[in-house]
Amino acid sequence: VGHGPAGKQVFYGSGTDAIATVRAANFITAAKAKGMRVGDILIYADTTTPLVSLSRVTVVASTGATLVA
């Protein structure tokens, strides 16, 4: 889901990792290849708890992305 090249995009992910792990630098290693940009949103479902979290992309580097609440 996205708003095109000029707008924000929304990404979805799920797994057993806690949200603190997901928000750590470079957890999403292919962020640049997936088209993530600063300001994009990630909706992440922790399938263990099960909690759903909303995060914003703050950094996209060749090594991955960093997210904040």
Side-chain angles (χ1 to χ4, degrees), residues 17-30:
D17 295 291
I19 190 61
T21 301
V22 174
R23 288 180 178 152
N26 304 324
F27 178 82
I28 302 174
T29 56

Side-chain angles (χ1 to χ4, degrees), residues 2-69:
H3 294 92
K8 304 298 179 213
Q9 296 184 93
V10 177
F11 292 85
Y12 174 80
S14 65
T16 58
D17 295 291
I19 190 61
T21 301
V22 174
R23 288 180 178 152
N26 304 324
F27 178 82
I28 302 174
T29 56
K32 197 172 220 176
K34 292 178 180 177
M36 280 188 164
R37 297 179 307 231
V38 171
D40 286 349
I41 302 297
L42 173 70
I43 300 170
Y44 179 78
D46 178 342
T47 58
T48 302
T49 53
L51 295 173
V52 175
S53 301
L54 186 66
S55 302
R56 182 176 45 88
V57 178
T58 57
V59 175
V60 176
S62 59
T63 54
T66 302
L67 309 165
V68 296

